[in-house]
Amino acid sequence: MALPLTYNLRNVLVRWRATLATILGIALVVAVFILIQSLAAGLEQSGRNTGDPRNLMIVRKGSTAESSSQISREQLKTFGYLPQIARDGRGRPLLSADLTVLVSLPRADGNGEANVTVRGLGPMGIELRPQVTLTAGRWFIPGRREAVVSTKMAQRFAHCAPGQHFKTGGKELTVAGWFDGGNSAFDSEIWMDADEARDLFDRESYSSVLVRMMDTNAAAQFMGRMEKDRRLPMRVVPEVAYYSEQTRTSVVFKVIGTFLAVAMSVGAFFAAMNTMYASVGSRTREIGTLRVLGYRRRAILLSFLVEGGIVAALGGLLGCATSVGLQSLSVFLGWQFGTMSFNTFSEVVFQFRITPGLAAQGLLFAVVVGVLGSLLPAIRAARLPVIAALKEV
Amino acid sequence: MPTNGAIVQIRNLSKIYAQGEIQVTALDNVSLDIGACEFLTLMGPSGSGKSTLLHIIAGIDRPTSGECRVQNIDVTRLNESRLADWRNQNVGFVFQTFNLIPVLTAFENVELPLLLTQLSRKERRQQVETALDLVGLADRARHLPRQLSGGQEQRVAIARALVTDPTLVVADEPTGNLDSHSAQEVLGVLKSLSSDAGKTVIMVTHDPKAAAFGTRTIHLEKGELIKD
Ligand SMILES: Nc1ncnc2c1ncn2[C@@H]1O[C@H](COP(=O)(O)OP(=O)(O)OP(=O)(O)O)[C@@H](O)[C@H]1O
Ligand SMILES: [Mg+2]
């Protein structure tokens, strides 16, 4: 049988001065790990949040993003009236041919310019995206040089308040209102009328077409039909799936986060090792006594591993608490994060999301580092010769 | 091997420390029988091998040659883990420096050896309380070692040594760090262990007054047993 857990807990508490630095170090590692991973999770979530399950997204075959896709008006006519497409009350197909253009706008903080995606939408475009809601002003009116900006982008870019004007493509656009994308990818966009956009940016064709299907059967039929048609080099994917694919940027975050965490955990590893060596050193006679009482070497080894694990777990919990606290604070203060998407090279915004799974990962990570760091000290403790240990003062 | 009623049978026990060229003979061919209910005291000048002998009997050190049988088990031949179990079940050790675990209460210190047994929580509690009662410290169960006097600490250590109901209780200068009053109390408890509880008690001491508590005293000199 092993030594009781309270024995380790109390030893950690009694020696808190010596262990505090290690606990704080591990807390820092865990907090950094969780925060960066949660940024990635937030980015992925914004991808997952985007799209309506009834919609299909059509881009040119071979293009992974709208920015590299072109659909001509002739092509649109060949599939725009297929019977699988749902229709509104007046019999018009629920379809939006969109044009997306990357424009460069001055940042609100005066810190140079950044890329933003401007989306020109067809007349049904807003209706097809029910998660997007107007939060200020009004929607743009087709035929006018007007734009509606996502609330989140409006905070990051200059001249984006309703009534203000910003210049792009050499022409001025008036901001008619603000919309909220519901934490989706649309939060990183500026919307306007598709035909106005084609005119403004001098484009003949569209970038993508969004269609609403009658039902899942119709969607399958539609996809099959588009696939077979050799005249139409189109890729048709569910809208939801399309946006999930677009979050490759989060991989970069994960790699950076993991790299940072690994680098820092080397430090935490040695901190834990140092703490536990000190602990073993100052408890040599105690270890000898336990052995005399009948505790085996293995029990001593286990006990010091557990103790290192406890120290690390305390650090891990503190790290989790810190990151959750930061998240609450960021929600409270309405912070959000912007980054350059590595897919579209435009500015994307999102909120970071700490999931219980991430917190558990951080904690596990800490405990593993703590236990590994304690391995050598614990082996030393277990190997102490009893008589020599008892003679220690 | 004839048993002749002895609990401990020591035969031709030697312990030689070799340090480079120099050899130190800590024990030199010691043979000794110790009976049940005996309170044996070991005396002798510093460095005469008293602690070494005690450690071998208690199964925490190994001789260079010879054997040491306790209840007919040759403890010098047990492997590490078996020896640890054997110590837990058969020996109670009392140190000069008490060696209580500072973060554990008196109760928890006494309970430590019992955590290695199959006893239930309730049985352990009963045994710990009985042991603390025996050393007159039932009311100090919740105290930490630093909240106890030296004499009280040593009595808790004795309670820890006897809580498993061992055959042997061995003590290495248990009164060495105590004032004479506390020493009297501790010696009284050790004496009653042999006379009332039927344990075999072996105690190393420098103090003839302490030795007077024992039923027999043997002397060591330069690792050899002095016959008187
Ligand atoms: N690890 C060791 N290496 C070398 N010699 C040792 C070692 N341990 C003990 N000795 C020697 O063995 C001899 C007996 O030591 P022991 O500790 O048994 O003496 P003791 O009678 O208990 O003395 P004291 O009364 O001072 O405690 C001494 O000469 C000592 O120097
Ligand atoms: Mg000694």
Side-chain angles (χ1 to χ4, degrees):
Chain A
M1 212 162 129
L3 279 155
L5 217 56
T6 49
Y7 165 73
N8 300 113
L9 264 174
R10 280 187 226 162
N11 268 309
V12 171
L13 292 183
V14 161
R15 305 168 48 77
W16 68 269
R17 253 181 263 268
T19 44
L20 191 63
T22 302
I23 291 179
L24 290 179
I26 291 174
L28 185 69
V29 176
V30 170
V32 166
F33 173 81
I34 292 181
L35 285 177
I36 297 184
Q37 296 291 328
S38 71
L39 285 177
L43 204 55
E44 278 173 356
Q45 188 62 41
S46 96
R48 265 200 294 280
N49 276 347
T50 313
D52 186 300
R54 297 167 295 179
N55 293 351
L56 293 181
M57 181 93 175
I58 303 161
V59 291
R60 195 184 60 189
K61 215 170 215 142
S63 55
T64 50
E66 282 179 275
S67 50
S68 57
S69 159
Q70 276 187 351
I71 298 174
S72 69
R73 301 178 68 180
E74 287 67 39
Q75 289 172 324
L76 175 61
K77 274 182 205 145
T78 61
F79 64 80
Y81 293 94
L82 287 175
Q84 292 86 1
I85 300 174
R87 286 167 192 263
D88 72 355
R90 286 193 269 165
R92 295 175 301 184
L94 286 172
L95 165 154
S96 173
D98 292 357
L99 171 68
T100 58
V101 181
L102 210 55
V103 304
S104 185
L105 292 179
R107 291 184 196 263
D109 56 13
N111 224 337
E113 299 196 334
N115 288 334
V116 195
T117 301
V118 172
R119 178 182 297 279
L121 300 93
M124 304 284 186
I126 297 171
E127 199 183 327
L128 283 170
R129 296 172 173 95
Q131 71 195 117
V132 179
T133 51
L134 196 70
T135 53
R138 54 169 175 76
W139 286 113
F140 55 84
I141 292 170
R144 290 201 202 166
R145 282 271 147 88
E146 287 178 347
V148 179
V149 184
S150 101
T151 317
K152 288 179 178 168
M153 292 317 257
Q155 287 163 15
R156 302 175 70 86
F157 289 92
H159 319 301
C160 282
Q164 289 188 319
H165 316 278
F166 62 85
K167 245 188 164 163
T168 179
K171 312 246 168 54
E172 255 189 3
L173 272 170
T174 307
V175 177
W178 285 351
F179 69 82
D180 177 52
N183 287 328
S184 70
F186 302 128
D187 274 327
S188 308
E189 293 182 353
I190 293 174
W191 283 8
M192 62 184 295
D193 176 55
D195 290 331
E196 275 310 307
R198 287 199 306 128
D199 186 36
L200 182 68
F201 299 108
D202 200 20
R203 302 284 168 92
E204 261 306 305
S205 47
Y206 301 100
S207 310
S208 68
V209 177
L210 190 65
V211 287
R212 171 75 47 86
M213 289 291 114
M214 306 252 281
D215 50 49
T216 46
N217 254 347
Q221 274 180 26
F222 185 85
M223 285 168 84
R225 175 149 186 185
M226 294 287 280
E227 182 64 37
K228 262 185 265 155
D229 197 331
R230 301 191 138 258
R231 289 167 305 158
L232 284 174
M234 298 295 157
R235 193 163 82 94
V236 186
V237 276
E239 189 190 14
V240 179
Y242 174 84
Y243 281 101
S244 294
E245 278 173 22
Q246 298 298 306
T247 50
R248 254 185 292 159
T249 307
S250 68
V251 175
V252 178
F253 273 92
K254 281 183 182 165
V255 169
I256 294 172
T258 306
F259 176 78
L260 254 179
V262 165
M264 289 171 72
S265 64
V266 172
F269 170 86
F270 283 107
M273 187 152 99
N274 204 38
T275 304
M276 294 312 291
Y277 263 133
S279 190
V280 171
S282 68
R283 277 151 69 189
T284 302
R285 193 144 54 90
E286 190 171 310
I287 295 162
T289 306
L290 289 170
R291 296 281 306 283
V292 170
L293 294 182
Y295 284 89
R296 296 182 179 191
R297 289 184 193 277
R298 215 179 315 149
I300 304 289
L301 179 84
L302 186 71
S303 182
F304 276 93
L305 290 183
V306 165
E307 201 161 312
I310 290 175
V311 170
L314 286 177
L317 284 174
L318 189 65
C320 285
T322 308
S323 54
V324 169
L326 264 174
Q327 171 175 258
S328 313
L329 191 72
S330 83
V331 169
F332 179 70
L333 296 175
W335 290 352
Q336 51 200 321
F337 297 86
T339 181
M340 196 180 76
S341 160
F342 295 100
N343 279 75
T344 59
F345 297 102
S346 65
E347 188 103 330
V348 292
V349 291
F350 53 93
Q351 264 150 352
F352 70 123
R353 282 172 47 90
I354 297 173
T355 59
L358 264 183
Q361 262 183 46
L363 203 59
L364 185 74
F365 187 67
V367 171
V368 167
V369 167
V371 170
L372 286 182
S374 313
L375 196 58
L376 287 178
I379 288 174
R380 172 185 286 185
R383 285 209 177 149
L384 282 173
V386 182
I387 303 286
L390 287 174
K391 280 187 179 149
E392 200 85 0
V393 268
Chain B
M1 163 147 291
T3 28
N4 70 8
I7 291 286
V8 183
Q9 296 167 315
I10 295 164
R11 296 289 175 272
N12 310 323
L13 208 61
S14 291
K15 175 79 177 180
I16 297 159
Y17 291 103
Q19 282 191 322
E21 302 288 285
I22 317 153
Q23 287 202 339
V24 179
T25 307
L27 287 177
D28 192 359
N29 208 27
V30 172
S31 295
L32 176 68
D33 279 354
I34 307 169
C37 304
E38 225 185 315
F39 184 176
L40 183 82
T41 56
L42 266 173
M43 292 191 76
S46 183
S48 57
K50 308 182 292 294
S51 295
T52 306
L53 180 58
L54 203 66
H55 289 155
I56 293 171
I57 295 171
I60 57 181
D61 203 354
R62 291 178 189 279
T64 311
S65 63
E67 59 182 41
C68 174
R69 293 181 166 269
V70 178
Q71 286 183 313
N72 246 348
I73 294 171
D74 189 353
V75 297
T76 63
R77 286 165 199 268
L78 297 177
N79 70 24
E80 277 271 347
S81 322
R82 300 275 302 279
L83 199 56
D85 297 346
W86 178 82
R87 281 197 301 269
N88 179 250
Q89 289 151 18
N90 296 285
V91 188
F93 206 105
V94 181
F95 306 88
Q96 179 177 355
T97 48
F98 323 143
N99 289 8
L100 297 179
I101 309 300
V103 296
L104 300 181
T105 63
F107 184 96
E108 291 162 338
N109 264 289
V110 176
E111 195 186 20
L112 267 183
L114 292 183
L115 295 177
L116 295 167
T117 66
Q118 304 293 319
L119 295 180
S120 72
R121 199 187 176 84
K122 204 176 139 209
E123 289 167 323
R124 291 203 304 263
R125 162 172 289 274
Q126 276 170 355
Q127 263 177 253
V128 172
E129 279 167 357
T130 308
L132 280 172
D133 217 27
L134 213 103
V135 298
L137 285 174
D139 55 335
R140 296 303 173 101
R142 304 265 153 257
H143 285 63
L144 289 170
R146 65 179 145 81
Q147 297 166 319
L148 300 170
S149 73
Q152 289 168 337
E153 275 196 78
Q154 193 60 301
R155 276 145 68 201
V156 172
I158 293 174
R160 180 177 67 185
L162 58 86
V163 74
T164 52
D165 195 24
T167 326
L168 284 178
V169 173
V170 298
D172 197 349
E173 299 184 46
T175 57
N177 283 6
L178 298 178
D179 64 75
S180 62
H181 176 72
S182 302
Q184 295 285 319
E185 283 181 344
V186 163
L187 290 166
V189 172
L190 287 175
K191 187 179 175 67
S192 70
L193 281 184
S194 71
S195 58
D196 305 344
K199 310 246 166 273
T200 301
V201 181
I202 308 167
M203 177 177 77
V204 169
T205 184
H206 278 293
D207 179 5
K209 273 185 270 170
F213 277 78
T215 52
R216 176 159 67 121
T217 301
I218 57 167
H219 292 268
L220 276 175
E221 211 158 296
K222 290 182 182 155
E224 286 182 72
L225 212 58
I226 308 293
K227 303 268 193 257
D228 38 18

